[in-house]
Amino acid sequence: MNAVHLSRVDLNLFVVFNAIFSEGSITRAGRRLNLSQPAISHALARLRGLAGDPLFVRNGHAMAPTPRARQMIAPVRDALQGFEAALASTGSFDAGAVSKRFVIGLQGVAEPMVAPVLMRAIARSAPRVDISLVRPDRRELERELAAGTLDLVLDVLLPLPDEIRRLHLGTERLMVAVRRGHPKVGRTLDLAAYLSLEHIQVSQRRRGLSAEDFELSRQDLRRRVRLRCQNYYGACRVVAGTDLALTMPERYARILNRQFANRLVPFPLDVAAFDTYAYWHADSDGDPANRWLRTQLFQAFAKDTGKRR
């Protein structure tokens, strides 16, 4: 950037710069900042003049940062975070008085496990705090956590950079759900009996192996998948009225199958456990609001896990 006295620079230009960099779009940056597209474009034009660089170039539908913009983003974000910290009146988050919405990314299977315990935990202590549970795009996790469009993410172990912090929350095994009175399943289920059954496979993809099929394939084994469907609720209903078997994560299996009175028996292979991790961005480490959210979620998750052991 050319030598310009700071008093002559509108610092809001850097807020716009950070939003465009994070969102990759002038339109989405405008939505994030509640500004019109012409206002965002005007701010970008002014910043381009100050920087002596286009900063962003159009690449299809996206605005791709130039090398100069990539060079600028870290100090700009550090400065913005410093301004926010300086303006904060306290280092704590008053959950009982503050109005705020947190956005947590998680896969659909985790929602019925997380939502009840989390909302019980904050219902009285944080009456003006709202929660949005959304399905994240794993390819966009780093960008969304950095941008603040996601405050926290729950998922399996993922290959993410060091800027994304993580905490292991728990481990669970696979269970097999069958209807009560199933003619081929007793109190336990060995591998031969499991393979003799007809199965339901749950996946939102049109093709490909599920976790249990992958484990079977490692031993050159295959099962007969009679039904492939998109969600576990529908699959559990099918289990209750047929002789089909359903393999699913234990915690969700215990929650969902209560209403159908299906039986649960352990998956007959000794497979690697399913781990759940929480993810957040390093910039949020010291943020009182994000720290409060993490504490509430971690405590709720631990309490729920303890009840099911």
Side-chain angles (χ1 to χ4, degrees):
M1 182 176 291
N2 300 325
V4 177
H5 197 281
L6 192 60
S7 64
R8 299 181 182 179
V9 178
D10 181 356
L11 298 183
N12 284 316
L13 297 180
F14 296 107
V15 175
V16 172
F17 171 74
N18 180 48
I20 298 173
F21 195 102
S22 299
E23 298 294 339
S25 163
I26 288 177
T27 301
R28 290 198 297 270
R31 290 177 187 152
R32 176 176 169 180
L33 299 176
N34 197 26
L35 294 173
S36 67
Q37 185 169 333
I40 295 290
S41 297
H42 179 67
L44 177 58
R46 292 172 61 195
L47 193 54
R48 281 169 166 164
L50 289 170
D53 186 89
L55 297 177
F56 300 95
V57 294
R58 189 163 296 282
N59 183 6
H61 295 293
M63 296 294 287
T66 65
R68 179 75 172 111
R70 293 185 183 279
Q71 197 177 47
M72 289 172 52
I73 188 61
V76 166
R77 283 176 172 168
D78 288 344
L80 291 175
Q81 189 174 6
F83 293 148
E84 289 179 354
L87 291 172
S89 60
T90 176
S92 62
F93 176 69
D94 188 356
V98 173
S99 295
K100 187 170 178 61
R101 176 178 296 274
F102 292 103
V103 182
I104 302 173
L106 44 73
Q107 303 303 314
V109 66
E111 187 169 287
M113 297 184 286
V114 171
V117 289
L118 177 60
M119 296 313 295
R120 279 198 301 269
I122 71 172
R124 295 182 179 178
S125 63
R128 298 169 68 185
V129 168
D130 300 327
I131 303 292
S132 290
L133 302 179
V134 302
R135 185 179 183 88
D137 182 344
R138 286 172 174 162
R139 297 167 298 182
E140 296 291 323
L141 284 190
E142 181 183 357
R143 183 188 66 79
E144 290 212 76
L145 287 170
T149 53
L150 287 175
D151 297 295
L152 198 63
V153 171
L154 300 187
D155 212 323
V156 297
L157 182 62
L158 298 171
L160 293 168
D162 292 341
E163 288 78 13
I164 305 302
R165 303 291 191 249
R166 70 196 65 198
L167 179 70
H168 181 236
L169 294 183
T171 302
E172 62 180 314
R173 59 180 177 168
L174 287 173
M175 301 294 284
V176 181
V178 295
R179 70 172 176 86
R180 290 195 178 277
H182 195 292
K184 293 185 177 181
V185 181
R187 301 188 65 176
T188 60
L189 184 65
D190 61 24
L191 183 57
Y194 179 85
L195 294 175
S196 73
L197 300 174
E198 294 182 328
H199 297 265
I200 304 173
Q201 182 188 71
V202 174
S203 176
Q204 293 192 340
R205 298 175 298 163
R206 294 190 179 190
R207 59 183 63 86
L209 297 179
S210 62
E212 58 270 26
D213 288 308
F214 176 76
E215 294 297 336
L216 289 168
S217 70
R218 293 174 63 183
Q219 300 191 29
D220 293 324
L221 299 172
R222 290 188 63 186
R223 60 179 184 162
R224 167 78 189 284
V225 175
R226 188 76 182 276
L227 170 67
R228 184 180 180 113
C229 63
Q230 298 181 78
N231 67 78
Y232 283 110
Y233 178 82
C236 288
R237 290 196 65 184
V238 175
V239 167
T242 68
D243 286 340
L244 299 182
L246 171 64
T247 305
M248 60 188 301
E250 180 178 15
R251 293 177 70 206
Y252 193 32
R254 295 197 182 283
I255 293 171
L256 198 54
N257 283 286
R258 289 181 196 142
Q259 59 187 296
F260 299 110
N262 293 328
R263 292 179 50 229
L264 298 176
V265 293
F267 184 63
L269 284 180
D270 183 17
V271 302
F274 284 81
D275 295 313
T276 300
Y277 286 80
Y279 298 94
W280 66 97
H281 198 272
D283 290 346
S284 302
D285 252 343
D287 175 55
N290 193 280
R291 190 167 57 235
W292 176 86
L293 175 66
R294 297 196 306 265
T295 298
Q296 301 306 309
L297 185 62
F298 299 165
Q299 290 178 350
F301 199 95
K303 288 178 182 178
D304 187 59
T305 301
K307 289 178 181 178
R308 298 181 191 286
R309 286 177 180 169

